[in-house]
Amino acid sequence: MKWYENAVFYHIYPLGLTDAPKNNDYQITEHRLNQLGPWIKHIKEIGCNALYIGPLFESVGHGYETTDYYKLDSRLGDNEDLKKFIQDCHYHGIHVIFDGVFNHTGRDFFAFKDIQQNREGSQYRDWYCNVNFQGNNEYNDGFSYDNWGGYNLLVKLNQHNPAVRQYLLDVVKYWVSEFDVDGIRLDAADVLDFGFMHELRMLTNDIKPDFWLMGEVIHGDYSRWVNDDMLHSVTNYQLYKALYSGHNEHNYFEIAHTVRHLLDKGNLPYHLYNFADNHDVERIYTRLHNKQKFVPLHILMYTLPGIPSIYYGSEFGIEGGKEKHSDAVLRPAIHLEDYKNAVNENGCTNIIARLGEIRQKNPVFADGIYQEIRLTNRQYAFSRTNETTQAIVVVNNDEADSSLEIPANGTYTEVLSGEVQNVNGNLNIYLRACSGQIWIRNYDETVAKKKEVKILETKQAEVKEEIIKQATINHSKSYEEMSIEELQACVLEKLAKNGPVTEQMKRDVVNNVYYDSLVNWVKSFRN
C-alpha cells in the first residue's frame, strides 16, 4: 500500500498560523516557520501521518501570487528552515506535500516584470495568456492579460508555451531534490492544462515513484483528473457539501447519494481527498447548526472511501465564518500552548484523535470495499470489507437516541468504546443522539479505554429573512452587470421557484461572495 492510500492529512496555511504580515516588502527574513516545530508532535498526537502545507514560496500577499518558486517566503524564513522542517516531519513519520501554484504568478514575478519593462520586445511576452498591448488595466500597465478569478493580481500563465512548462517542471525537480517533498497539491487544477498535468505526472513518476499529485477541483467530473495519466487525487467538494448539509438538514440520503454517484465512476471515491473545511470555506464548527453533529460527521469523513484531512484549528472546534473581501478569519494565528491538554479536555480534539488512531491502525478504511447497508434521513449504516476483515459503521444525526439491527455474523468490537458482541444473525446497535459507532470483525487487540469528552449542545441561530440583504433586482441588467448583492438575491429568487428554501440554503447564498461563482450559479437554473 502506498503511503498516501492510508494517509490522514493535516492541513496548515502557514502565513496565517504563524501570524505573518499580510503584505511582504521583501526586506526582512523572519524565521516564523520555526514556530511549527511543536506542531509536529501535535499532528502525530491527533492521529495524522501526512501534512499539506502551503502556500510556502515568496509572494507579495496571501501566498497565491508567487514571485519566486525557488525561495521560501521571507515572512516565513529561508530554504534551510524549510529543509529542516521537512526533515523533522519525515523523522516523525509524516509525509509532506506543498501547494503548487502553477496556474498563475504574481505581478512581481521576473517574467511579468520583464514584460512591464520591455513590452513587445520582452522574451517572456508569450509566458502569459492573451497579453494585449492595445489594452490596459487598473495598474495602468499599458497592456492587458488574462487572470484568475477576475483578479489582475494573479496573472495567468500560458501552459501551452513549452518554455513555461519546462520552467514549472524544473521547479518541481528542485523541490524534490532540495526539500525531499512527497507530493503537491495543485492550486486551481480545474483550469490547468491537461497536457501539463500529464507531463508533471510522468516526471514525478520517474524522479520519486511514490510522489502524490492532488488537484484543487471544485466542479466537474473528477475522473477527468484522477486517472493513471493525470493526478492521483482531487479535492472532494461534492462530499464536503453533502457532509455539512446532510447533518444540518437531517438528510443522510444526500451523503449516501453522493457516495453512490462517485462510485458510478468505479474506484474514484477511494482516491479522493475528503475534508470538512479548509482555508477557503467556513469552519465546520461554525457551519453546523448543532455542534454535537461534529462527531457523526467526522466518523463518516474518516470511514467513507477517500483520504481524510483536518484543517488546522478545526480539531479544537474553533469558529470561522466567511467574510466579504477577506479570508483572514479562516486563516488565523493559533498558539498551540492554548490547547495543551485538548485531547483530554476538548470534545472535538478527543474524537479527532481517536478517529485518527482507528484509521491508521485499520487499513480496511483505506482499501475496504464500500457497501451501503441501511439508510434513512437520520440513520446511515455501511460496511467496508477487505480480504482480512469487515468494518460496519453506523451514524445517527437525530437529536434522539436510536436502535438498529444490522445483519452480521462473527465477533465484532466497537473500537470507540471497546464493546464486544458475538453475533449470530444481527448486530444489535444502540445509538445515542448525534453519535456513531465503528464495529470491526475479529479485531485482534484490546481497545484501550480512553476518556470520552462530550461536545456541548449548542444550536446555531436560524437565518432570518430580514438579515439577508435582499437587493432590488433590475432584470433588465445582464448577470455580468449585477452586483454581488443583486446576484445573491437572484439566486434566492431562483431557488424559491424550485421549492422551499431551507435555512442552510440561505446561508450558502449569503456566504458566497464570489462574483464568478454567483454568475455561474444563477445561470445554472433552467427557470
Side-chain angles (χ1 to χ4, degrees), residues 5-252:
E5 294 172 339
N6 200 37
V8 179
F9 270 92
Y10 196 76
H11 172 194
I12 287 177
Y13 178 84
L15 291 170
L17 176 55
T18 62
D19 202 19
K22 302 304 179 199
N23 297 301
N24 186 358
D25 61 10
Y26 309 120
Q27 299 300 311
I28 301 174
T29 297
E30 294 283 354
H31 300 273
R32 292 182 177 88
L33 193 71
N34 296 336
Q35 298 174 21
L36 300 187
W39 286 82
I40 297 174
K41 179 182 177 182
H42 170 71
I43 291 168
K44 292 287 290 183
E45 184 182 26
I46 63 168
C48 296
N49 57 5
L51 172 65
Y52 154 38
I53 183 169
L56 283 164
F57 293 94
E58 193 81 284
S59 68
V60 70
H62 52 56
Y64 289 99
E65 63 286 75
T66 310
T67 60
D68 189 340
Y69 290 95
Y70 287 87
K71 180 180 182 296
L72 180 67
D73 194 299
S74 51
R75 292 169 291 176
L76 294 173
D78 56 32
N79 284 8
E80 289 303 312
D81 295 332
L82 183 55
K83 286 169 67 174
K84 182 180 185 305
F85 177 72
I86 295 173
Q87 288 170 358
D88 289 347
C89 286
H90 285 168
Y91 178 79
H92 288 91
I94 298 171
H95 289 82
V96 182
I97 70 167
F98 291 168
D99 234 329
V101 188
F102 299 149
N103 176 68
H104 46 265
T105 72
R107 290 168 48 83
D108 288 344
F109 188 66
F110 77 92
F112 187 81
K113 292 180 76 67
D114 192 271
I115 298 172
Q116 288 177 310
Q117 181 176 347
N118 297 308
R119 295 180 57 79
E120 291 91 341
S122 172
Q123 63 178 310
Y124 301 108
R125 59 175 294 178
D126 294 326
W127 272 46
Y128 295 98
C129 293
N130 295 321
V131 175
N132 177 12
F133 293 101
Q134 306 304 312
N136 205 352
N137 56 42
E138 69 270 31
Y139 298 101
N140 201 27
D141 288 318
F143 59 90
S144 60
Y145 48 83
D146 285 356
N147 60 40
W148 181 86
Y151 301 102
N152 275 325
L153 182 67
L154 308 174
V155 195
K156 185 168 177 59
L157 285 165
N158 176 14
Q159 291 171 356
H160 294 288
N161 184 331
V164 172
R165 289 159 84 125
Q166 189 58 53
Y167 178 86
L168 296 174
L169 293 173
D170 287 344
V171 165
V172 174
K173 290 179 187 176
Y174 177 79
W175 288 357
V176 174
S177 64
E178 185 72 6
F179 304 113
D180 195 22
V181 65
D182 301 299
I184 295 173
R185 176 262 195 189
L186 290 169
D187 182 63
D190 44 9
V191 291
L192 287 178
D193 178 69
F194 280 89
F196 167 68
M197 288 187 283
H198 173 70
E199 284 190 47
L200 180 59
R201 177 67 177 268
M202 296 303 102
L203 169 70
T204 55
N205 283 350
D206 286 340
I207 63 177
K208 195 168 187 178
D210 63 349
F211 198 85
W212 189 62
L213 293 172
M214 183 264 287
E216 179 196 25
V217 176
I218 298 175
H219 303 292
D221 178 358
Y222 293 157
S223 63
R224 295 181 61 212
W225 289 269
V226 181
N227 55 66
D228 291 340
D229 292 324
M230 296 290 171
L231 310 180
H232 299 87
S233 181
V234 295
T235 49
N236 193 353
Y237 271 89
Q238 293 180 30
L239 184 63
Y240 151 74
K241 191 271 177 185
L243 283 173
Y244 73 75
S245 62
H247 284 89
N248 281 342
E249 305 296 335
H250 294 104
N251 185 11
Y252 275 149

Side-chain angles (χ1 to χ4, degrees), residues 440-454:
I440 297 180
R441 186 175 59 203
N442 300 330
Y443 196 66
D444 59 2
E445 61 180 275
T446 302
V447 175
K449 294 291 184 181
K450 293 188 177 180
K451 178 184 177 183
E452 179 183 0
V453 185
K454 301 286 187 181

Side-chain angles (χ1 to χ4, degrees), residues 385-440:
T385 307
N386 63 12
E387 293 180 353
T388 60
T389 192
Q390 180 188 62
I392 293 175
V393 180
V394 286
V395 285
N396 179 22
N397 69 38
D398 201 349
E399 285 75 11
D401 295 354
S402 179
S403 296
L404 294 174
E405 289 187 348
I406 302 295
N409 287 285
T411 301
Y412 283 80
T413 302
E414 204 288 298
V415 292
L416 285 169
S417 67
E419 180 186 350
V420 178
Q421 287 192 35
N422 294 309
V423 182
N424 184 17
N426 284 304
L427 186 63
N428 297 307
I429 296 172
Y430 180 79
L431 284 171
R432 291 174 301 174
C434 302
S435 73
Q437 296 179 9
I438 303 169
W439 295 84
I440 297 180

